[in-house]
Amino acid sequence: MSFATTGYGVIEASPDGKYLMVDYGLVSTSKDQPHGQRLELIFNGITEIIQKHHPEVVAIERLFFATNALTAIAVGQAIGVIKLAIHHQNLPVFDYAPMQVKLYVGGSGKADKKVMKATIKKIFKIREKKGHKTHFDDAADALALAICHAKKLNNTINKK
């Protein structure tokens, strides 16, 4: 997730490990907008998605702090606003570290972005337009988070 675009993915998961993609896309903000307005747009966008699709749970990516503290702070604020939107809709939220998602979806905690994106495209039979610049990476990350949660939940249920 970058602060300018927040990806989302809505799936239906069956107990037999099959996934149906319901919706995916982006909540976008412009770098020219004031910081508070961008946070409000993210809050409103996530709220609209939840109200449209009525999910049972929401999975989000845990903040992975690298080297740029200012970026980490901005992303942390966006995550806080997302969690608030989820809380306002009375939904449980689960967060996953990037390595967990890579392990559950890509088969290795060290899977790179290309592998993850290709895996998501294959699972959901998504075709991107060639030469058309999109932010599908953010939406693919969100779909991978949804699959990660479904797989983890399925593993927990099957162990009982």
Side-chain angles (χ1 to χ4, degrees):
M1 173 179 83
S2 71
F3 188 62
T5 59
T6 301
Y8 69 89
V10 181
I11 68 168
E12 288 181 15
S14 62
D16 63 353
K18 294 192 174 152
Y19 309 104
L20 172 66
M21 192 226 345
V22 176
D23 191 14
Y24 72 92
L26 301 172
V27 175
S28 298
T29 64
S30 168
K31 293 178 182 179
D32 298 331
Q33 294 169 309
H35 185 70
Q37 185 180 20
R38 293 173 76 187
L39 291 172
E40 183 178 28
L41 288 170
I42 293 169
F43 178 89
N44 291 339
I46 297 300
T47 299
E48 286 174 21
I49 294 160
I50 291 170
Q51 290 175 347
K52 178 180 179 183
H53 295 292
H54 307 287
E56 294 175 16
V57 299
V58 179
I60 64 172
E61 187 173 37
R62 190 174 299 146
L63 178 61
F64 177 75
F65 179 69
T67 55
N68 188 333
L70 290 177
T71 299
I73 290 168
V75 172
Q77 290 172 339
I79 290 171
V81 164
I82 291 166
K83 284 186 172 185
L84 182 62
I86 295 164
H87 172 75
H88 275 225
Q89 301 301 311
N90 298 310
L91 290 171
V93 61
F94 297 85
D95 61 343
Y96 295 96
M99 283 184 72
Q100 282 179 290
V101 178
K102 291 174 182 183
L103 179 63
Y104 274 95
V105 180
S108 165
K110 296 181 181 186
D112 68 13
K113 275 247 187 232
K114 282 185 179 180
V115 168
M116 294 298 290
K117 189 174 172 180
T119 302
I120 293 302
K121 286 173 141 184
K122 183 177 177 185
I123 290 170
F124 295 117
K125 298 173 179 57
I126 296 171
R127 299 181 86 174
E128 279 186 283
K129 295 177 184 172
K130 292 192 181 213
H132 188 265
K133 184 174 172 17
T134 69
H135 292 281
F136 180 71
D137 288 356
D138 293 328
D141 288 349
L143 289 166
L145 277 158
I147 291 172
C148 174
H149 179 72
K151 283 187 173 189
K152 186 164 173 118
L153 183 64
N154 215 4
N155 286 348
T156 303
I157 291 169
N158 289 336
K159 287 182 181 179
K160 289 183 180 181

